[in-house]
């Protein structure tokens, strides 16, 4: 009777002094792997303009039909850019095909993974939400 109790106490004491395997999430976060694919992000030139030329290749390859590129417009030097660019994160499966297909390296999947929302509408990202933060 007393032996199993002592055994149990021994296990408890061993656990008290060993390094915890858990972390204090969300205060502490585990680093993600290099190949991790998080939130899709539009890349910018130094002047703040999006690198996207509205070719719609990413939209074509997206297996989830999560991307909408709206009305390519023309800048003063004839360059094309999207008037609006939308990714529906409720559809996105973070496959990275859009990143692979883009001829301008204008879209990439970053390391952000805390994307959950209570309202599905907040997961429809527009061009401003898709720009890098900070
Ligand atoms: S990561 Fe995949 S599913 Fe998500 S927008 Fe890009 S191509 Fe579509
Ligand atoms: S493939 Fe690249 S350049 Fe073409 S629409 Fe998509 S993000 Fe823009």
């Amino acid at each position: 009777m007393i032996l199993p109790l002592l055994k149990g106490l021994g296990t408890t004491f061993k656990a008290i002094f060993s390094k915890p395997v858990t972390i204090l999430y969300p205060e502490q976060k585990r680093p993600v792997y290099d190949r991790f694919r998080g939130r899709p992000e539009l890349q910018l030139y130094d002047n703040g303009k999006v690198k996207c030329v509205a070719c719609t290749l990413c939209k074509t390859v997206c297996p989830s039909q999560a991307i909408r590129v709206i009305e390519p417009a023309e800048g003063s030097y004839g360059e094309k850019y999207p008037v609006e660019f939308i990714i529906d994160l409720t559809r996105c499966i973070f496959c990275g095909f859009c990143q692979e297909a883009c001829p301008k390296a204008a879209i990439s999947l970053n390391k952000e993974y805390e994307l959950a929302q209570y309202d599905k509408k907040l997961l429809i990202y527009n061009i401003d939400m898709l720009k890098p933060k900070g």
Side-chain angles (χ1 to χ4, degrees):
M1 173 82 182
I2 194 86
L3 199 64
L5 185 70
L6 290 174
K7 241 171 142 180
L9 279 174
T11 307
T12 305
F13 272 107
K14 235 183 350 193
I16 287 173
F17 297 108
S18 59
K19 196 169 172 252
V21 290
T22 53
I23 58 166
L24 292 172
Y25 182 85
E27 288 81 17
Q28 293 173 357
K29 293 183 175 72
R30 287 193 200 283
V32 293
Y33 287 98
D34 287 344
R35 293 193 309 162
F36 179 82
R37 295 190 297 259
R39 178 175 75 81
E41 183 178 81
L42 285 175
Q43 301 303 312
L44 310 176
Y45 288 114
D46 291 342
N47 63 9
K49 285 191 172 172
V50 285
K51 289 185 176 176
C52 176
V53 292
C55 68
T56 70
L57 266 175
C58 54
K59 178 185 161 184
T60 308
V61 298
C62 178
S64 313
Q65 298 179 353
I67 301 177
R68 272 199 296 151
V69 185
I70 297 169
E71 271 193 59
E74 210 167 286
S76 43
Y77 296 104
E79 75 277 15
K80 288 271 179 72
Y81 64 89
V83 168
E84 186 54 280
F85 194 105
I86 292 168
I87 297 186
D88 183 347
L89 286 192
T90 64
R91 301 185 69 103
C92 178
I93 54 169
F94 305 93
C95 63
F97 282 7
C98 49
Q99 178 178 326
E100 278 182 45
C102 181
K104 304 295 280 182
I107 188 165
S108 58
L109 274 67
N110 67 19
K111 303 278 182 253
E112 207 180 314
Y113 56 87
E114 291 172 311
L115 303 168
Q117 296 286 356
Y118 285 108
D119 186 348
K120 270 166 56 169
K121 278 185 265 169
L122 298 175
L123 289 167
I124 314 288
Y125 276 46
N126 63 24
I127 196 164
D128 289 325
M129 295 160 84
L130 287 167
K131 288 177 183 173
K133 286 179 186 159

